[in-house]
Amino acid sequence: MNPRELILLSPYRLPAQSSLMVGNDDVGAFLNGALALWHPAVARAAAGPPRVASPYDHEQPAAGQVFAVPDSPPLFQPDDWDQRVKDAGAVAFRCTLDRKTTLANLLDALRAYGGQAPPASLLDLPPEKVAPFLAVGFGAMHVEALFEAMEHQNVLSASELWGDVQQAILALDNSEDPDAWRRHLQSAADRLLRAREVVYPVAIHLIDLGLFDGSLPPLFGDGQPFNLIAGAAALEKLARDEPEKMAALRARVLAEQAEVCGGSYVEREDALLPVESQLWNLLKGAAVSRDLLGQDVRVFARKRFGFHPQLPLFLQSAGLTRALLLPFDDSVVPSHRGTVVSWPSPDGRQVEAFTRTPYAADSPQTFFHVAHYLHKTIMQDHAATFALLHASTPAGPWYEDWRELSRLAPVLGTWTTLSRYLGEVTSSEYASAALADEFHGDYLSERVSTRSDAVVSGFARHLRLRRRLDTAWTLAALHRALVGKNDTLQVDARLREVETRVETAGATASIAEETDRELADLEKETASALANRLVSRAAGDEPGTLVLNPCGFARRVALELDDVNGPLPVGGPIKAGQFSGTHAKLVVEVPPLGFAWFPRSGPPGTPQPPARMKLADERAVRNEFFEAEIDPATGGLRVLRDQRTRASRMGQQLVYNPGSVMRARKIETTSTGPALGEVISEGVLLDEHERELATFRQRFRAWLGRPILDLRIEIEPTHKPEGYPWHAYYAARFAWGDERATLTRGVNGAGYVTTHTRPESPEWVEIRSGKQSTVLFPGGLPFHQRHGARMLDVILIPEGETARTFDLALGLDREYPAQTALGLATPVPLVATAKGPPHVGATGWLCHLDMPNLMLLGMRPSEEGADAVVAHFLECAGRSTYAEFRCARDPQQATVLDANGAARMTASASGDAALFEIGQNDLAHLRVEFG
């Protein structure tokens, strides 16, 4: 047969100025039917391009007509319409959501005409020769819709376009010039490009984003640029398992035909991890990616949520200046109108961020709305941009049509890499620094769904491991600062190896226990080396205990020792003591980055320290700062009062959400002083029918001289929580009296006012009412949920959590809660010495920082044994400052570095101090050289 008309019967048209909400089956059948009519077997000798028509206009078919009939939505046609088609000498075929089925239906319908069927050479064309014809059809239908969207007269000459297509069909059998057919299609694509340039004469940027799932995209080798979002660990695995594919990817990257966007080594919950862990992930990821790809990663991106307000600062410090500010899950990030924005952190550092939400490449809706989306970006954006996202599901066949069209001509845009795009397109929006509540990812649900055994406790374990690691690094750095090039302490390689394990192996109970033992050995080794140096010139030979402080602020630490002979006099570093045989409970004050030494036995006849106040009774624990009253009915915290005003600050109970009753069975006072007040409550949680849900044990501790109430919670569920973790969990519920109180949560050391129902923070949550503030320190537990205006749950046990013991703390009126949170998570290295005190005295500092708003994250000895140390600082109070970092030896030179070790600015050295400037909420690495 010789078709005269090619017709898609449909009630729809391609959307132009407005979107059209129809089902995927309808959309897919529409697109496949429209493009199938461009197959050379049916397009041969047709009078013109395919068109869309109403079913009602073709109830009576005519000879030579070819109808594409979508199977969705069902068309209302006469019952005998199919017979009418045959009688009239027309052709009809069904088009579906599946491209292959649609084309097979078309070819079967054409073959059914026997002698009038198209030649077998066209019916049996290989897919690689059919694809360019469908691609031209894809471009033609969308260029036509774009004219409508832009309210512009259609200047595309359909007859000339169709003439090129017909010439291409005729040239398919040209054996003398096998590429002639493609040149004719190239001419058709050029016509489409010239027509599109009438309404938009500059480049349209097409960005292909693929989430790396272990395999490369199907169209990896088609010559068009693409962007792959992959962490360095995933690339390592690809290189190990499929080296030939890794080599091909590297070649594409070096040829600027591909962009690997990443920057992180492992995809994990970085937004809730310590700052040093986040920096390690960035630096390790950059180094590994550079080795594998042959060049630096230039655009930061993550598959999983990992954003927070200070991320631009961390990226800048790690050498990354561009980022994808996009969530690829249900998380929330700040919204921006511009496609490219300058995204600042609180300190003012900025990165260029791509913020345009990509369209799903596996959805027929995306390709149905191409003209509409192009119209939107042309009208609204500084540079027209269309982004596609490839996730776990393969892209639809229309994506291949688009890529094939681009090989003929950039009709609907030019595919590009993100680096090239961000180099050509300037920021259209200069945003202000985002607030913490503008970022939120549901890590809790994610960890429950992946069956983690440390859903909540994993964060607390990681924090403790990280602080123990940082402690060992800091002690090694202090030792280097004392001994210089004579340093024989060789722990750097072992610490780096353990650091990699801490940051990559997760924090399950078994791994954490094994790693903690190894870190404890390294901490003991570094602490012993430092202690031996300190007491090497000790005048006395009295055995004692040396307490070391790896933090940059003074700490009052609570110690329980079993090797003390008799009472020790209270004085000097010992602020409070309580003795029973060889067991001692002590409160010791240790200078910042310093030490405190005390003897192992007191002078003969030393009396027991007198009790300054009764620190506990059957109802409360107290010290000079607060009083915590225990509820005899529930066993929870009835009220926490400050001793100065006697104002009630906070209460606490254990709860099972969605409902429970806490009932005490036993309350016991186990220590009344003079150093420690301790009360333990035991009981059960009951449901509304008085059935037991869990047993509990709570320990309340008040140490003399420490403004912190220590709270240890042990829960053993009888009824394990199951289901949505934000609705079914065991938690510690804290309540306060003032509905107008403001909540502030700690995010990477900085405080942010929060109104979020689920304010995540592993550091601290402050409840401020007027001049009074009460600070909750969750000890690394990050998931909290508010109830009304006066209650906050710290989630302890959701589904899957295996930990049963949790340590929290409450503090009153803490000026720098970030310092307190860091101190609570940092271990207290103790070294038994055979002699002492050190020749400089019982207490002293080895390095000293004069600004309390600077938080020392840690110190490290300089690499390659140089006589230098590097200290890491984070400003946590939101104010710029000049700081003085004093050392036991006089520095010869000081330099402020970025996280990669590159110099940012020169600091001055004067006497025993290095003087440097740091901006508000800034991060700085100070290298101090002594040699």
Side-chain angles (χ1 to χ4, degrees):
M1 64 168 293
N2 291 319
R4 288 187 296 110
E5 289 186 284
L6 308 176
I7 303 169
L8 170 64
L9 297 181
S10 177
Y12 305 131
R13 299 295 184 274
L14 285 181
Q17 291 187 344
S18 301
S19 61
L20 184 62
M21 302 303 295
V22 294
N24 282 344
D25 288 348
D26 297 359
V27 168
F30 178 96
L31 291 172
N32 285 334
L35 296 179
L37 293 173
W38 288 78
H39 192 289
V42 69
R44 181 180 68 99
R51 62 187 179 89
V52 182
S54 170
Y56 301 109
D57 295 338
H58 294 278
E59 293 184 354
Q60 187 58 54
Q65 292 179 324
V66 178
F67 297 101
V69 184
D71 65 354
S72 179
L75 302 181
F76 294 98
Q77 296 168 311
D79 292 340
D80 62 345
W81 188 80
D82 289 333
Q83 187 61 45
R84 294 184 188 183
V85 170
K86 293 182 180 179
D87 294 344
V91 173
F93 67 96
R94 301 292 169 178
C95 42
T96 72
L97 179 61
D98 182 71
R99 168 70 64 83
K100 291 182 179 179
T101 301
T102 300
L103 291 176
N105 291 343
L106 166 64
L107 298 178
D108 289 344
L110 294 177
R111 289 189 180 98
Y113 270 76
Q116 300 184 49
S121 60
L122 294 181
L123 289 173
D124 298 330
L125 274 178
E128 61 270 16
K129 287 195 172 183
V130 174
F133 288 90
L134 306 187
V136 170
F138 182 86
M141 63 193 296
H142 286 297
V143 167
E144 182 180 356
L146 187 59
F147 275 113
E148 179 185 348
M150 301 296 289
E151 297 182 335
H152 194 288
Q153 179 184 356
N154 189 343
V155 299
L156 176 66
S157 174
S159 60
E160 293 178 356
L161 174 71
W162 196 242
D164 287 333
V165 173
Q166 293 300 314
Q167 290 296 320
I169 296 174
L170 292 175
L172 284 169
D173 294 328
N174 189 341
S175 59
E176 296 181 359
D177 188 359
D179 295 326
W181 67 276
R182 191 168 184 87
R183 288 198 299 273
H184 288 296
L185 290 182
Q186 183 94 43
S187 175
D190 289 339
R191 292 184 192 279
L192 292 173
L193 175 59
R194 290 194 295 271
R196 190 269 292 170
E197 287 178 339
V198 171
V199 293
Y200 193 69
V202 296
I204 297 173
H205 303 276
L206 304 179
I207 298 175
D208 226 355
L209 296 172
L211 302 180
F212 183 64
D213 59 0
S215 59
L216 295 176
L219 298 183
F220 168 71
D222 70 348
Q224 300 288 338
F226 69 95
N227 302 273
L228 197 64
I229 299 174
L235 295 178
E236 265 188 337
K237 186 176 186 301
L238 179 66
R240 184 172 58 252
D241 297 344
E242 301 179 88
E244 68 287 349
K245 290 187 177 180
M246 187 66 233
L249 176 61
R250 178 187 174 106
R252 291 289 305 274
V253 168
L254 294 176
E256 300 291 331
Q257 292 182 338
E259 177 95 53
V260 174
C261 307
S264 297
Y265 181 68
V266 288
E267 294 256 344
R268 55 179 189 178
E269 302 88 345
D270 271 24
L272 301 180
L273 297 182
V275 173
E276 291 284 69
S277 290
Q278 297 181 52
L279 292 175
W280 178 91
N281 203 17
L282 289 174
L283 297 176
K284 177 74 171 180
V288 171
S289 298
R290 186 186 309 116
D291 291 342
L292 293 173
L293 300 173
Q295 68 177 31
D296 290 323
V297 168
R298 293 173 288 188
V299 180
F300 173 80
R302 288 176 57 100
K303 293 166 56 178
R304 296 177 63 193
F305 174 80
F307 301 100
H308 52 74
Q310 296 98 329
L311 185 57
L313 166 64
F314 295 174
L315 295 180
Q316 280 267 10
S317 186
L320 290 162
T321 59
R322 294 168 175 171
L324 283 183
L325 183 55
L326 293 173
F328 298 112
D329 47 28
D330 295 331
S331 55
V332 176
V333 299
S335 58
H336 300 277
R337 294 185 62 183
T339 305
V340 179
V341 303
S342 289
W343 174 27
S345 60
D347 74 310
R349 305 283 182 86
Q350 296 181 344
V351 297
E352 298 298 301
F354 180 79
T355 62
R356 176 54 46 85
T357 301
Y359 301 104
D362 60 353
S363 171
Q365 300 287 348
T366 296
F367 304 96
F368 186 64
H369 286 86
V370 165
H372 170 63
Y373 294 149
L374 288 177
H375 167 253
K376 282 177 57 178
T377 186
I378 288 171
M379 299 300 292
Q380 298 175 10
D381 293 331
H382 179 64
T385 306
F386 194 112
L388 285 171
L389 177 66
H390 302 259
S392 56
T393 308
W398 315 281
Y399 168 72
E400 299 180 28
D401 297 333
W402 199 343
R403 301 278 286 199
E404 184 66 38
L405 175 65
S406 297
R407 281 191 282 274
L408 296 172
V411 177
L412 300 177
T414 302
W415 301 95
T416 185
T417 61
L418 273 164
S419 285
R420 189 181 307 151
Y421 172 81
L422 292 171
E424 296 173 358
V425 178
T426 58
S427 297
S428 58
E429 183 177 341
Y430 291 86
S432 58
L435 301 176
D437 281 359
E438 296 181 72
F439 301 90
H440 186 77
D442 193 358
Y443 287 135
L444 178 59
S445 298
E446 183 181 308
R447 289 172 70 86
V448 168
S449 65
T450 55
R451 305 296 181 184
S452 170
D453 65 348
V455 177
V456 173
S457 63
F459 293 97
R461 288 173 183 157
H462 183 98
L463 174 62
R464 291 194 295 270
L465 290 172
R466 181 72 236 190
R467 287 307 299 161
R468 173 151 272 177
L469 176 68
D470 291 336
T471 294
W473 275 120
T474 301
L475 296 179
L478 292 173
H479 187 262
R480 176 73 57 83
L482 285 181
V483 304
K485 291 186 176 181
N486 296 321
D487 188 0
T488 58
L489 183 62
Q490 302 296 323
V491 294
D492 292 27
R494 283 181 289 159
L495 284 172
R496 276 191 286 270
E497 190 275 328
V498 175
E499 183 174 33
T500 299
R501 200 181 325 143
V502 167
E503 300 295 350
T504 58
T508 58
S510 58
I511 294 174
E513 184 177 349
E514 177 185 350
T515 307
D516 193 50
R517 284 196 299 267
E518 187 167 353
L519 278 173
D521 292 340
L522 284 166
E523 177 192 311
K524 182 178 180 180
E525 183 177 346
T526 54
S528 296
L530 182 58
N532 290 337
R533 176 69 180 184
L534 289 172
V535 300
S536 61
R537 296 163 57 190
D541 293 327
E542 186 175 8
T545 299
L546 193 72
V547 187
L548 299 171
N549 181 10
C551 296
F553 50 88
R555 299 169 69 192
R556 285 199 173 183
V557 297
L559 304 177
E560 294 190 66
L561 306 176
D562 290 316
D563 58 351
V564 175
N565 300 319
L568 301 178
V570 174
I574 299 179
K575 302 303 177 183
Q578 185 173 323
F579 304 92
S580 176
T582 60
H583 185 77
K585 295 180 172 65
L586 304 174
V587 177
V588 179
E589 184 168 82
V590 194
L593 290 172
F595 63 89
W597 182 92
F598 55 86
R600 206 168 302 162
S601 59
T606 302
Q608 289 282 353
R612 292 167 49 188
M613 61 187 302
K614 189 175 183 180
L615 298 181
D617 54 33
E618 67 277 5
R619 296 282 297 276
V621 296
R622 63 182 67 84
N623 60 20
E624 63 268 46
F625 300 101
F626 62 81
E627 179 179 67
E629 183 180 340
I630 289 81
D631 191 320
T634 66
L637 178 65
R638 171 179 282 182
V639 63
L640 177 68
R641 303 184 186 91
D642 72 87
Q643 294 284 32
R644 185 174 59 86
T645 66
R646 303 297 294 171
S648 299
R649 298 292 191 91
M650 184 172 283
Q652 175 267 345
Q653 285 190 6
L654 298 177
V655 298
Y656 172 73
N657 201 55
S660 64
V661 175
M662 184 181 185
R663 186 169 297 167
R665 289 178 173 172
K666 177 182 178 183
I667 297 179
E668 180 183 8
T669 303
T670 54
S671 178
T672 60
L676 171 66
E678 181 180 272
V679 172
I680 296 174
S681 66
E682 298 178 3
V684 293
L685 295 180
L686 305 174
D687 66 10
E688 58 183 355
H689 301 295
E690 297 290 308
R691 291 178 297 202
E692 182 179 297
L693 296 171
T695 60
F696 71 85
R697 183 177 187 268
Q698 291 204 132
R699 186 185 73 184
F700 302 88
R701 278 187 161 187
W703 293 85
L704 191 70
R706 292 185 76 240
I708 298 295
L709 172 66
D710 295 320
L711 175 59
R712 171 165 290 184
I713 299 171
E714 299 174 39
I715 302 180
E716 189 56 55
T718 305
H719 171 77
K720 293 185 178 181
E722 295 180 348
Y724 186 51
W726 291 102
H727 291 170
Y729 56 77
Y730 290 94
R733 177 168 293 173
F734 294 87
W736 53 94
D738 188 357
E739 293 185 352
R740 300 166 299 175
T742 300
L743 261 67
T744 301
R745 58 175 165 136
V747 179
N748 298 311
Y752 288 88
V753 173
T754 178
T755 58
H756 205 286
T757 305
R758 297 167 180 172
E760 295 178 337
S761 176
E763 301 176 42
W764 48 271
V765 177
E766 179 187 53
I767 297 90
R768 180 171 289 276
S769 180
K771 294 183 179 180
Q772 296 178 343
S773 77
T774 307
V775 187
L776 166 63
F777 298 100
L781 306 177
F783 303 119
H784 319 306
Q785 182 161 244
R786 297 184 68 170
H787 292 272
R790 298 189 303 105
M791 290 186 290
L792 179 76
D793 287 355
V794 177
I795 297 177
L796 305 177
I797 304 178
E799 181 181 351
E801 177 59 63
T802 57
R804 296 296 181 260
T805 302
F806 309 90
D807 290 305
L808 295 82
L810 292 171
L812 303 181
D813 305 319
R814 308 305 297 157
E815 185 175 2
Y816 298 103
Q819 305 276 30
T820 306
L822 192 73
L824 289 171
T826 303
V828 183
L830 301 177
V831 180
T833 63
K835 59 181 180 178
H839 70 284
V840 295
T843 63
W845 54 262
L846 306 175
C847 290
H848 184 271
L849 182 66
D850 69 335
M851 298 304 296
N853 59 315
L854 293 190
M855 184 163 66
L856 177 75
L857 302 175
M859 293 175 61
R860 298 198 178 195
S862 185
E863 295 182 358
E864 300 177 356
D867 190 4
V869 297
V870 179
H872 304 174
F873 299 106
L874 182 68
E875 200 287 317
C876 59
R879 62 176 186 265
S880 302
T881 186
Y882 285 93
E884 182 180 270
F885 187 63
R886 300 175 64 191
C887 304
R889 291 190 294 145
D890 291 351
Q892 299 301 307
Q893 185 177 344
T895 310
V896 178
L897 313 173
D898 63 14
N900 280 310
R904 280 175 47 192
M905 67 181 73
T906 301
S908 60
S910 176
D912 66 351
L915 308 175
F916 65 102
E917 182 181 5
I918 187 169
Q920 61 178 17
N921 302 116
D922 199 359
L923 178 71
H925 298 73
L926 181 68
R927 176 182 169 90
V928 180
E929 300 178 35
F930 302 101

